Amino acid sequence: TTSPAVSIRDLYQNIRTADTNSITLSAVKAADTTQAGSGALTATANPLNAAAGVASFSNVTYTFAEAIKLKAVMTGMADIFSNTVTVSAGSLDHFSVLPAAGAKTAATAFNVTVTALDVNNNPVQPTGQTFTFTTTAGNAPSGQAPSLGTLVIGDFTNGVATKSVTLYQAVTGANITFTATASPSTKTGTSAPIATVAPAPANHIAFTAQPPVSAAAGAAFTTSPAVSIRDLYQNIRTADTNQITLSAVKAADTTQPGSGTLTATTNPLNASSGVAAFSNVTYTFAEAVKLKAVMAGMSDIFSNTVTVSAAALDLFSVVPAAGANTAAAAFNVTVTALDINNNPVTPAGQTFVFTTTAGNAPGGQTPSLGTLVLADFTNGVATKSVTLYQAVTGANITFTVTA
């Protein structure tokens, strides 16, 4: 508020009005004038030539909040120092927002330091403002939002506030920032971005992709099941490569294994980027099952129900009733239509031939087989009453069904 002026004098303090020497001002620390000040000293002209023996500096400013003295230098003269000038911070202009250094992990708190600064980056204690403190970090897959707390005047000491924050969404290659804003006058500051937040420790496994609700026995599932390794907040632990095993259990009682065989290209399968994606999954038995996923150290999980139905007709089971057979005494032959995995399948659209290798009786009586038609089958099973009339010993009598 007052402009410093330096005069050139003789031994008796007379100003040498004819002198026009150049005089330079600089700022030094008041506590140690051998040390330069931390800020920048400016003036309209500096160095400045004396006029009538006086160098009157104008528009003198200094940028750093500290106690300084002005040092005046003129060639051939001893340096001189002014009184102490206590330079204080200007008004709030912006914020520095600085997350703590180091790796960040979901659900692990870290500090963000918010510093209120004047236009020259001197810390300034806010007064009379209200604040917002926000982040671009998203919610975790579980829905858990970032924990930032609030920013208030009382958080600042000498212009500095330290806030404990917790992020829950695990990300890679992101651009997460924190922003502090003061109102009125909307003074803001935004941090440098955080690119990576690692997942929290492994907590469970989950089906990232469910199997289909229906499948044909022996045929590859139309959707391939995938199991991911996750933290408590449903973030996939992309660095994990643990082994995961699939099996089939009965849908009605998951403590009981399925009656068929579950196959996949690889099973057990090591996770890749935290996900075990099974391929070419098949199951051989026609029944309702669930897939059971197992990983050491985690609780077992179960998929939705997969209703496995029989595949297309592939062959027949033909079973004569047990026990002794007598000429002219009827007995049953059970015919079961089966798919390639021996699951009963109800025929549709076929005609049938039902034959036997049994011969005619000496009296000419032929075997009585009847005919086999679609209507004879219920849930893939037909029972036919047959009668043979030729008595034989050591023979090899068979029955054959052809569709």
Side-chain angles (χ1 to χ4, degrees), residues 59-258:
N59 295 317
V60 178
T61 66
Y62 186 68
T63 59
F64 196 76
E66 63 179 338
I68 60 169
K69 292 185 177 185
L70 299 186
K71 176 181 176 181
V73 176
M74 180 180 123
T75 302
M77 297 289 111
D79 300 342
I80 62 170
F81 301 91
S82 73
N83 55 238
T84 296
V85 182
T86 302
V87 181
S88 57
S91 59
L92 175 63
D93 181 75
H94 62 282
F95 292 96
S96 162
V97 184
L98 185 64
K104 308 297 186 292
T105 300
T108 299
F110 60 93
N111 288 335
V112 175
T113 301
V114 179
T115 306
L117 300 170
D118 68 9
V119 70
N120 293 300
N121 293 319
N122 295 296
V124 54
Q125 182 65 26
T127 56
Q129 293 97 345
T130 59
F131 307 93
T132 57
F133 184 43
T134 59
T135 180
T136 57
N139 294 350
S142 66
Q144 182 69 46
S147 173
L148 302 182
T150 56
L151 185 64
V152 296
I153 287 278
D155 293 330
F156 288 90
T157 300
N158 297 324
V160 180
T162 301
K163 299 300 293 182
S164 177
V165 305
T166 306
L167 306 181
Y168 294 93
Q169 181 188 34
V171 291
T172 300
N175 189 23
I176 296 172
T177 59
F178 297 88
T179 298
T181 304
S183 297
S185 300
T186 316
K187 307 300 185 182
T188 70
T190 298
S191 70
I194 295 172
T196 301
V197 178
N203 175 265
H204 63 284
I205 55 176
F207 276 96
T208 301
Q210 291 279 353
V213 296
S214 61
F221 284 6
T222 53
T223 57
S224 296
V227 179
S228 55
I229 305 166
R230 304 194 179 200
D231 67 13
L232 179 63
Y233 306 97
Q234 301 295 339
N235 295 299
I236 295 175
R237 290 181 49 84
T238 54
D240 289 358
T241 58
N242 303 62
Q243 187 178 83
I244 296 174
T245 302
L246 280 189
S247 61
V249 295
K250 293 187 180 296
D253 181 359
T254 57
T255 65
Q256 298 298 314

